[in-house]
Amino acid sequence: MCLHGTLGSEKQVTEAASLTAPAQKKSFKLTLLATLFLLLLIFGEHLSRNSLLPTLAPRVDGSSNSFSVGAFQLLQRIDTKLCQALGCIERTVSDFAAWQITSSATLSPENSRDGLKSLKNQSLLQVEIQNRLAIAVLPPTLEISLTDAEESDIKSLQFTPQEWLPSSWQEQHADFLKTGVPSGEILQVELPITLPISAAGYRVRVLYPYSPSSFHYSPFILIRK
């Protein structure tokens, strides 16, 4: 009497193969789904880039953590590659949160040495303003509100970007109304102002004329005379 095990071995191989095939199919499906999901994310980013990038942009003034800054830089590199391959419509954003006065605004009378010799109370407003977002932002309008001793507004002055941006900077950035102010750019601004006699303080804020709201930069500041 003789027994042979060949048939049993073939059966085990067949069973193993039948178990491996579904696992391979499942792995392939998961890989395919992950690839499709990644493609959807990439094309979704490309289609919504003009609203997504400003929302995700961190601050470059040191207030954002290094991980978010690094992740956004990676996203920008991917976005640049996509724009080179698929084309993009660039739309520079208007964002109040981008702007910050990096040092206190000062308003100094120019005729303080002359006393009563000059009838006009000419002063010079000096402001250092920075775009602290990691993307370019359209320059806003600067508004100076002059107030009396009771902090009531007595005069409001508005300066368009063409009026308050330094001439030398405008020459270097001829298309700034389209391309905006670069990320991290710090601007030194000097604006001549005629002060009313009753002026005791001032506030500085930014506004975009076609926006329903504005973002205040500074609280009430006393004019030093």
Side-chain angles (χ1 to χ4, degrees), residues 47-113:
L47 294 175
S48 61
R49 61 185 301 277
N50 287 316
S51 58
L52 181 64
L53 291 178
T55 302
L56 298 179
R59 296 175 180 176
V60 296
D61 59 355
S63 59
S64 297
N65 62 69
S66 57
F67 175 79
S68 61
V69 174
F72 187 76
Q73 289 174 347
L74 176 61
L75 178 62
Q76 282 183 307
R77 287 195 291 269
I78 295 174
D79 179 71
T80 300
K81 296 293 184 181
L82 288 174
C83 286
Q84 291 174 350
L86 304 176
C88 289
I89 299 176
E90 296 290 347
R91 293 175 183 161
T92 310
V93 299
S94 304
D95 193 336
F96 298 115
W99 301 103
Q100 179 184 20
I101 291 180
T102 57
S103 61
S104 299
T106 57
L107 186 58
S108 56
E110 291 183 340
N111 65 324
S112 57
R113 300 176 184 176

Side-chain angles (χ1 to χ4, degrees), residues 5-19:
T6 305
L7 184 61
S9 177
E10 291 178 352
K11 185 178 180 181
Q12 290 177 356
V13 171
T14 303
E15 290 177 352
S18 63
L19 292 174

Side-chain angles (χ1 to χ4, degrees), residues 149-167:
E150 298 178 353
E151 299 189 25
S152 299
D153 292 344
I154 56 176
K155 188 176 182 179
S156 179
L157 303 171
Q158 291 188 3
F159 298 89
T160 64
Q162 295 91 329
E163 293 172 329
W164 70 263
L165 283 168
S167 300

Side-chain angles (χ1 to χ4, degrees), residues 15-224:
E15 290 177 352
S18 63
L19 292 174
T20 304
Q24 290 177 342
K25 289 182 179 179
K26 185 176 181 181
S27 177
F28 176 76
K29 288 182 179 179
L30 289 175
T31 303
L32 182 61
L33 288 174
T35 303
L36 290 175
F37 181 70
L38 181 61
L39 289 174
L40 286 175
L41 284 179
I42 291 174
F43 283 102
E45 185 279 334
H46 181 69
L47 294 175
S48 61
R49 61 185 301 277
N50 287 316
S51 58
L52 181 64
L53 291 178
T55 302
L56 298 179
R59 296 175 180 176
V60 296
D61 59 355
S63 59
S64 297
N65 62 69
S66 57
F67 175 79
S68 61
V69 174
F72 187 76
Q73 289 174 347
L74 176 61
L75 178 62
Q76 282 183 307
R77 287 195 291 269
I78 295 174
D79 179 71
T80 300
K81 296 293 184 181
L82 288 174
C83 286
Q84 291 174 350
L86 304 176
C88 289
I89 299 176
E90 296 290 347
R91 293 175 183 161
T92 310
V93 299
S94 304
D95 193 336
F96 298 115
W99 301 103
Q100 179 184 20
I101 291 180
T102 57
S103 61
S104 299
T106 57
L107 186 58
S108 56
E110 291 183 340
N111 65 324
S112 57
R113 300 176 184 176
D114 300 334
L116 299 176
K117 293 181 181 180
S118 176
L119 296 178
K120 292 184 177 180
N121 193 2
Q122 292 289 344
S123 298
L124 188 67
L125 177 67
Q126 296 175 316
V127 179
E128 187 176 273
I129 183 172
Q130 180 187 26
N131 171 18
R132 57 181 178 172
L133 282 188
I135 57 173
V137 180
L138 287 174
T141 293
L142 282 186
E143 182 179 79
I144 316 300
S145 297
L146 300 175
T147 58
D148 57 19
E150 298 178 353
E151 299 189 25
S152 299
D153 292 344
I154 56 176
K155 188 176 182 179
S156 179
L157 303 171
Q158 291 188 3
F159 298 89
T160 64
Q162 295 91 329
E163 293 172 329
W164 70 263
L165 283 168
S167 300
S168 58
W169 188 91
Q170 293 189 44
E171 292 174 359
Q172 297 174 2
H173 304 79
D175 295 331
F176 69 90
L177 291 177
K178 294 181 180 179
T179 59
V181 178
S183 170
E185 189 87 7
I186 298 177
L187 301 166
Q188 304 285 344
V189 182
E190 292 186 348
L191 299 172
I193 294 176
T194 301
L195 292 177
I197 298 176
S198 57
Y202 64 95
R203 293 184 178 91
V204 182
R205 69 175 182 173
V206 297
L207 59 88
Y208 291 98
Y210 300 105
S211 177
S213 62
S214 59
F215 181 83
H216 283 266
Y217 272 139
S218 62
F220 174 78
I221 304 174
L222 289 175
I223 297 174
R224 297 181 180 179

